Amino acid sequence: MNNLIVICQSGGKFSTASDGSLSYVGGDAHAISVSRETKFDELRLEIADMWKYGTDSMTIKYFLPNNKRTLITISSDKDVQRFLDFHGNSGTVDVFVIKNESSTALAAVTPSTTEATPVPPRKRSTRKRVIQQEYPLNVTPVAQAPAPAFLASASASENAGGFNSLAPVPTEVQSVGQMKRVKLWENCITGLHQQFNNVREVRDAFRKYSIAQGFTIKFKKNDSMRVSAKCSVDGCPWRIFASRLSTTHLFRIKRLNEIHTCGAGTSTDSHPRASKKVVEGIVKEKLRDSPNVKPKEIANQIQQEFGIELRYSQVRRWMEAATEEIQGSYKEAYNQLPWLCEKIVETNPGTAVSLNTREDLSFHRLFIAFHASLHGFQSGCRPLLFLDTMSLQSKYQSELLTAAAVDGNYGIFPVAFAIVDVVNDDNWHWFLVQLKTALPTFQPITFVADRQMGLRQSISVVFENSYHAYCLRYLSEELKRDLKGPCIHEIIGVIVGHLYDAAYAPTLDAFRKCIESIKSISPEAYDWILQSDPENWANSLFHGARYNHITSGIAESFYSWLTELAALPIIKIIETIRHKLMELIYTRKVESDQWLTRLTPSVEDKLQKEILKAQSLQVMFSPTNTFEVQDFLGAVNVVNIDAWDCSCREWQLNGFPCLHAVAVLQHIDRDVYDYCSKYYTTEAFRLTYSESIKPVPTVDKPVLGESSEVQVNPSPLRRVSGSPKKRRIRSRGVVKRPLHCSKCKGEGHNKVSCSVVS
């Protein structure tokens, strides 16, 4: 028979139908191939590896053909053969992997047997033998805990390296988490044939097992191909050896002598000894689970779970080392920037990249605009860009400058970004120059940005005939800072609300009405607003086209993940942004392929609302293309069809017909969709996302060391927030004034500590 495709399902639950039949709902699924030669142990091992279950902690079941009421268990080689006999004529069959709740087996455990299977001979490695003694951090037991605790003091050699003695835990501390973890570590080594994913897992398992069993180990061989260890007590026969399987990265235990003559694991008062590397491994595991965790939180967790009391400085030092190991070196990441820039341009032709350093080769600024983003902006987006800045989580000075657009469905569309060492007028001007070079467009662009970022002059110089619309969020924050006076905090919210109403007001009369309301509340605020260049933020006075967008923070919705992550090397930041852009473009491209409307869904919904409201309007006939439209209150608006203009100004501001224009167009039997901006069409949206960002392979990524040539150094370290602590230093020769007691008139004490009885 041909191999049978087996769909393995786990993590879900069974539900019973009214007829008694069972169905499996939820969970995860994997597919494997099973043949007549497949043994039960092989099948069980492969399935366990899928979900990282212990082989003894799960049960494998299946349904008989045409019987969904009875589950059959697979527990032997004969059961596997019967399973194949029953379903031999099927193309695929489902099996259900049920995890046993009572089992405490480790996820990485594989079945152990009493004898080792023959291993093909391998040429002996010529690597130099590495003998490594695991110097322990001594341990004192936690009171009344069945499993011993850890770490009371460190050896002198480790203290010299900065790892000071660790204080014992108070006797009243009892940790259930510690007992569970130590109990779990007892199963780190289960026997021969146990497999590990890599050499690090092997070393980690050896160390944890020795802690749980109460002895220390000495590594005899410890390289990338093989790891062997022995009990550190002279004469004790306990030995273990694991080596890498050929053509894979997997490791398997080949030899194991589990006999101890030193008393390890048998004495009730034996003290497990945790090495420095084990504690570092615990810190690293917690950092992987919670990248944003604080050193103090990790120290508290380790004390509660393991009885180990660590100093803040120790945990912070280990966290920095673990972060660098997980994410890569922050310093080397800067030196890899030239390589990354070259690979981005090579894999994404048409991408604009510019990297600048200072005279001392320290990082200055980096600009990136992918070809897919530039093409999408020029092909399908409105000529509207939002400029904003964001601080990056980094140990070095680094800020993010962004330029983003809005697609036809009101979604954020990142166009370009730059990482700079500091936000100032010079870096913003440079950013705009790079953007202008990447966007050789002839049409005017409207920029929405803060008026205080040094952009007013740069925008007019770099992008001639363009417009600068002030971000109202920054403007309102500036207003709050500048307003003074009694009770101002009680009315500032009302003033800001009227400010936003004034900005959104489509007509000059509506704008004046809003600021008059502000004048009645605070004449000072009224004067401030009139002097804040309303022609750059009010709809009724603005000459450019900003499509009713009055704030620049639209890009925050895309880049907000940067503030949620822990500090990343600069290479990782750039690569993560690229991955996010790839996902964004692909997802929206796939979504738009399902659209059947002429306009994007968001605009289609807005237009339908205008069509519904237009039914109650009355159109006055006109022989020209200018019409009067009257509502049920008698108010009249004038619509010019040829100029795409309405006296309410909503058509001009939004880019699609307002209710008055819709009434006229339907009255003269014209298609409303012909009078919508081309940027709102589904066709334009698909053009926006027609190009994709290509992956950047890292196979040839240079591995830089201390001897590598330095091309880019990190920018200066980020200064810690807050004012520096000041310590008064007395001048030499100045004698401290002695204390005088006002009660007994004596010197050297005051009346509080005076011993004279009154």
Side-chain angles (χ1 to χ4, degrees), residues 154-185:
S155 63
S157 61
E158 288 176 349
N159 286 338
F163 299 94
N164 297 333
S165 61
L166 304 175
V169 183
T171 56
E172 63 271 12
V173 176
Q174 297 185 28
S175 172
V176 176
Q178 174 195 345
M179 293 186 289
K180 289 182 179 179
R181 183 65 65 94
V182 174
K183 187 68 177 177
L184 192 65
W185 286 2

Side-chain angles (χ1 to χ4, degrees), residues 122-141:
R122 181 176 56 82
K123 185 177 179 180
R124 186 175 180 84
S125 172
T126 58
R127 295 175 180 266
K128 183 178 179 180
R129 290 179 61 192
V130 179
I131 300 178
Q132 179 182 350
Q133 172 71 46
E134 283 293 300
Y135 295 100
L137 302 179
N138 295 336
V139 179
T140 58

Side-chain angles (χ1 to χ4, degrees), residues 206-427:
F206 285 10
R207 293 185 181 113
K208 290 180 177 178
Y209 179 78
S210 68
I211 293 173
Q213 296 295 335
F215 69 98
T216 57
I217 61 173
K218 179 191 293 184
F219 285 104
K220 298 182 63 180
K221 297 174 183 177
N222 189 5
D223 54 45
S224 61
M225 298 296 296
R226 54 192 176 174
V227 180
S228 66
K230 64 185 286 291
C231 180
S232 62
V233 178
D234 293 337
C236 183
W238 188 91
R239 299 285 191 280
I240 190 168
F241 173 79
S243 62
R244 199 174 85 176
L245 301 178
S246 59
T247 70
T248 72
H249 292 288
L250 299 176
F251 275 71
R252 176 180 291 172
I253 296 178
K254 303 292 183 62
R255 294 194 296 272
L256 173 63
N257 185 346
E258 299 181 86
I259 299 174
H260 276 285
T261 60
C262 62
T266 59
S267 176
T268 57
D269 59 349
S270 61
H271 294 180
R273 299 162 73 84
S275 71
K276 177 180 64 179
K277 286 188 175 293
V278 172
V279 182
E280 289 178 352
I282 296 172
V283 173
K284 187 186 301 182
E285 288 176 3
K286 293 188 174 297
L287 195 60
R288 286 184 188 274
D289 295 338
S290 304
N292 295 322
V293 69
K294 305 297 182 183
K296 189 174 182 179
E297 295 173 359
I298 287 186
N300 292 337
Q301 291 173 13
I302 291 177
Q303 179 178 349
Q304 294 172 5
E305 294 180 16
F306 306 106
I308 305 172
E309 188 167 322
L310 302 174
R311 291 185 294 105
Y312 177 89
S313 58
Q314 285 178 307
V315 179
R316 182 173 56 82
R317 189 161 53 245
W318 286 336
M319 285 181 64
E320 290 177 355
T323 301
E324 187 164 311
E325 183 177 339
I326 296 171
Q327 302 291 356
S329 170
Y330 288 90
K331 186 175 181 180
E332 289 181 6
Y334 280 93
N335 209 21
Q336 292 171 340
L337 283 176
W339 168 85
L340 179 63
C341 294
E342 181 180 339
K343 296 300 293 184
I344 288 176
V345 174
E346 178 185 327
T347 54
N348 292 267
T351 297
V353 177
S354 179
L355 173 63
N356 290 171
T357 59
R358 297 189 183 274
E359 293 182 358
D360 59 353
L361 296 182
S362 63
F363 174 80
H364 186 16
R365 50 201 181 191
L366 169 66
F367 174 90
I368 298 178
F370 287 98
H371 169 70
S373 297
L374 298 173
H375 176 270
F377 175 71
Q378 293 178 299
S379 301
C381 290
R382 288 160 275 181
L384 179 66
L385 284 176
F386 302 84
L387 305 180
D388 207 355
T389 182
M390 181 182 298
S391 293
L392 296 176
Q393 299 263 13
S394 175
K395 62 191 295 186
Y396 299 105
Q397 292 181 8
S398 52
E399 307 286 338
L400 184 71
L401 309 183
T402 63
V406 179
D407 62 31
N409 201 39
Y410 290 94
I412 174 68
F413 184 75
V415 177
F417 67 92
I419 299 176
V420 298
D421 53 358
V422 64
V423 177
N424 55 26
D425 294 353
D426 177 61
N427 279 337

